[in-house]
Amino acid sequence: MRQSAALRRMVAETTLSANHLVLPLFVRGGKKQRRAIGSMPGVFQLSIDELLKEATAAVAAGVPAVLLFGIPDDKDTKASGAYAKNGIVQQAVRALKKELPDLLVITDVCLCEYMSHGHCGLVHEHPHGWEIENDPSLKLLARTALSHAEAGADMVAPSDMMDGRVRAIRQALDQQGLSRIPIIAYAAKFASAFYGPFREAAESAPKFGDRRSYQMSPANAEEALREVALDIAEGADVVMVKPALAYLDILQRVKATFGYPTAAYAVSGEYSMIKAAAANGWIDERAVTLESLLAMRRAGADILITYSAVDVARWLKDGGIPA
Ligand code: PBG
C-alpha cells in the first residue's frame, strides 16, 4: 500500500507507548553503591539511595512501573532474607513509595536470591541427590509476598514456578486484608539459557543442578497453556510469558486463549544480545529494541518488562519507530 507517514501511523495495527513499560531494578545494601553488571551494560546493582535516583529518572522519562529484585547481605537454606521485615526489598519498597508515591512498585517474589544453594524453593538433599520441596516452599513464598505488600508494594510477581504458589499467595494476602493487591504470575516461565546474565546480576545461579524440575521445557506450548490456566484458576490477575522474543508463539496463544492482561518479559539474555551487537556496530540498538517490543505487543503483550525501559521511553518521546 502506498501511504504517507501520517496515514501509516493512522492505520498502524499495533502501537508502542511508555504506558506499557516496566523497568526491572536490582537493589542491594550499603550506600552510594552502583555496581556494574558486566554482562548487562547499563544495568547496576544499586543501594537504596542510588535506586531512588534511578527510579526518579525512570519516572521523569515516563516509565510508570518498576520490578524489584533484592540481593541480600546473607543467604541461608531457608531464604530468611526474602521475608524479613527489614529485608532489602521491603526497605526499598518503603523508600520508593515514600519518595515516588505514583510509581507502580512490583516486587519479584522468589527465594533463589536468598537461598545459599540458589534454588527457587526449599531443597531436600539425600544420598541419591536433591529434590525441591514444593509444598513447604509455598509457605515461605506466601510470607515473602505478604511482607512485600505490607511494606507497600502495589503488586507481587511470583517467579519461582512452584505448583500452587498463586493460590497460597492469594490466600495469605486476602487473610491479611490485602485483597486489593494484584498478582502478576510468571505463568509460562521456561527453563531458559537466556537468563544467564540475570544470574550474574542477582547472584542467584544454582550451586548444583538446574531449574528444569520446576521451570518449563522450551519444547512445550500446550503445557504453557495449562500452566497459565492453573495460575488464572488460582487467582492470578496478570499472566506473564518469559522469555519473550523466543516465545512469541506462546504469548500469542496465551492472549488468544484467555484474553487476560498479559505481560512479556524481555529477559537479560535478550538485552545482552542487543547490547553486544550494538556495541560492535552490527545492529542499530534503538531500532532493534523498538522493533522487538513492537513484536511483543503485536503478539498480545499488554505489559513489557524490559531493562531498556528508560531508553525506550526516551526514544518514544523522540519519535519512536519511523512510520
Ligand atoms: C528468579 C528469576 C529469574 C529471572 C527472573 N526471576 C532467573 C531464573 O529463573 O533463573 C530471569 C530474568 C532475566 O533473565 O532477565 N527465579
Side-chain angles (χ1 to χ4, degrees), residues 54-86:
E54 198 87 358
T56 302
V59 169
V63 175
V66 295
L67 171 61
L68 282 187
F69 293 92
I71 298 122
D73 292 338
D74 300 301
K75 304 181 190 237
D76 58 27
T77 55
K78 292 183 304 197
S80 311
Y83 40 87
K85 208 174 168 126
N86 257 330

Side-chain angles (χ1 to χ4, degrees), residues 5 27 29 31 41 69 116-117 121 146 152-153 159 212-213 217 245 266 284:
V27 60
K31 287 216 164 64
F69 293 92
S116 42
H117 47 60
L146 188 58
S159 69
R212 279 182 293 184
S213 71
S217 161
L245 211 46
D284 176 334

Side-chain angles (χ1 to χ4, degrees), residues 24 26 40 67 69 108-113 118 120 157 159-161 186 189-190 192 194-199 202 204-206 211 214-215 242-243 265-270 307:
F26 299 97
M40 300 177 74
L67 171 61
F69 293 92
D108 185 87
V109 174
C110 196
L111 306 178
C112 59
E113 295 112 270
C120 303
S159 69
D160 53 284
M161 288 299 277
Y186 287 68
K189 178 171 176 182
F190 290 86
S192 172
F194 284 100
Y195 307 149
F198 172 93
R199 292 179 186 169
S204 69
R211 302 205 203 288
Y214 43 101
Q215 297 183 352
K242 180 184 172 200
Y265 196 146
V267 301
S268 55
E270 301 178 44
Y307 300 97

